[in-house]
């Protein structure tokens, strides 16, 4: 194990330990209900949570709307189980033009490369800006729960935006301590729609191409 490699999950735990029972306001960008399940459940009693659903990368309106409905379904279920710790939600409008403008010229970039990094930045910056406008104490994203996402890049972008917007970024690597496995279990428990591609037309096409080669 590389001792110099950032331990984002441990950083988050250390920050939380310093709350002393207080529940700061956290704006949590969510890509979808399944990923958010593994984040919302452990953090529901730690923060005053609001889910920020902003995903202009999604391939089509139907997919955007379907994931939004599933997100609300999950939040309703969790709020029903723990009414003393309600989770809010802010659903942004679907603006795919923002995504296509940001990644222009990188259409053929492999999944997990520079196109994805720009997509992380687009969604995180919108979250940071909203957190600043609405007076949140922290912002972060569910994206690090996926084994396919670059947690180091996501946290680097988050820290840069923390400096720009003067709102604390909560470091994370939510896949740690079996977080991803837990999200799969929770998806089954709450019967959540679990998509088989990240979201954009390029990841969808790449996924279909791989299926054709099997």
């Amino acid at each position: 194990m590389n001792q110099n490699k950032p331990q984002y999950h441990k950083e988050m735990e250390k920050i939380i330990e310093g709350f002393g029972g207080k529940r700061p306001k956290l704006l949590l960008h969510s890509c979808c209900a399944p990923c958010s399940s593994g984040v919302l459940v452990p953090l529901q009693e730690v923060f005053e949570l609001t889910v920020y659903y902003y995903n202009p990368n999604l391939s089509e309106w139907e997919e955007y709307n379907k994931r939004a409905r599933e997100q609300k379904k999950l939040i309703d279920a969790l709020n029903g189980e723990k009414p003393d710790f309600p989770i809010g939600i802010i659903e942004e409008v679907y603006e795919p033009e923002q995504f296509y403008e940001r990644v222009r010229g990188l259409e053929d970039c492999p999944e997990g490369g520079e196109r994805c990094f720009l997509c992380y930045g687009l969604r995180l910056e919108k979250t940071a800006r909203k957190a600043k406008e609405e007076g949140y104490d922290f912002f972060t994203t569910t994206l690090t729960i996926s084994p396919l996402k670059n947690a180091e890049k996501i946290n680097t972008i988050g820290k840069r935006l923390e400096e720009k917007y003067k709102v604390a970024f909560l470091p994370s690597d939510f896949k740690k301590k079996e977080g991803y496995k837990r999200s799969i279990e929770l998806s089954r428990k709450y019967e959540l729609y679990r998509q088989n591609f990240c979201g954009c037309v390029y990841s969808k096409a790449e996924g279909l191409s791989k299926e054709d080669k099997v």
Side-chain angles (χ1 to χ4, degrees):
M1 181 178 178
N2 185 353
Q3 296 298 324
N4 295 321
K5 187 176 181 180
Q7 301 294 310
Y8 300 112
H9 195 78
K10 289 184 178 179
E11 287 182 37
M12 181 185 70
E13 290 178 331
K14 187 174 181 180
I15 290 170
I16 290 173
E17 286 174 3
F19 290 166
K22 296 180 180 179
R23 296 176 64 236
K25 293 174 63 179
L26 170 65
L27 187 63
L28 174 69
H29 166 262
S30 175
C31 55
C32 61
C35 286
S36 73
S37 67
V39 179
L40 292 172
V41 169
L43 295 187
Q44 187 173 4
E45 296 184 31
V46 177
F47 291 95
E48 290 185 28
L49 278 171
T50 300
V51 167
Y52 189 59
Y53 184 78
Y54 174 69
N55 299 291
N57 59 307
L58 294 183
S59 57
E60 53 199 15
W61 161 245
E62 289 78 9
E63 181 72 18
Y64 190 91
N65 195 38
K66 189 172 186 178
R67 294 194 194 192
R69 289 199 308 269
E70 291 296 286
Q71 185 70 77
K72 293 170 186 174
K73 182 176 81 172
L74 173 63
I75 290 173
D76 286 344
L78 295 178
N79 285 346
E81 292 173 1
K82 295 184 178 180
D84 291 337
F85 303 96
I87 300 168
I89 183 170
I90 298 172
E91 180 185 352
E92 284 289 359
V93 296
Y94 180 50
E95 45 184 21
E97 67 280 0
Q98 295 294 325
F99 169 71
Y100 290 116
E101 176 65 26
R102 181 66 65 95
V103 304
R104 183 175 295 151
L106 295 171
E107 292 84 356
D108 296 326
C109 182
E111 185 74 5
E114 187 61 31
R115 186 185 65 235
C116 294
F117 300 160
L118 291 174
C119 182
Y120 302 161
L122 173 63
R123 291 184 279 175
L124 274 169
E125 180 148 20
K126 185 88 168 184
T127 308
R129 189 181 302 123
K130 175 63 72 170
K132 176 68 174 181
E133 292 172 354
E134 302 292 337
Y136 285 84
D137 301 299
F138 290 90
F139 75 98
T140 196
T141 178
T142 63
L143 289 170
T144 63
I145 202 167
S146 170
L148 301 178
K149 299 293 188 294
N150 188 319
E152 185 169 1
K153 177 63 71 170
I154 292 167
N155 280 275
T156 298
I157 294 170
K159 291 302 291 184
R160 173 174 57 80
L161 293 171
E162 173 182 282
E163 295 176 4
K164 180 176 180 180
Y165 290 97
K166 309 304 179 188
V167 180
F169 174 74
L170 184 70
S172 75
D173 194 351
F174 289 117
K175 72 179 71 65
K176 296 296 185 181
K177 295 188 175 180
E178 299 193 326
Y180 179 68
K181 178 182 177 182
R182 180 65 172 144
S183 73
I184 295 174
E185 294 170 348
L186 289 166
S187 296
R188 294 195 188 103
K189 174 182 177 181
Y190 295 108
E191 299 181 339
L192 301 174
Y193 158 65
R194 193 176 184 88
Q195 63 286 340
N196 58 3
F197 68 106
C198 177
C200 73
V201 294
Y202 312 115
S203 66
K204 187 175 184 178
E206 187 171 325
L208 290 173
S209 177
K210 291 178 179 177
E211 288 179 5
D212 290 341
K213 293 177 182 178
V214 174

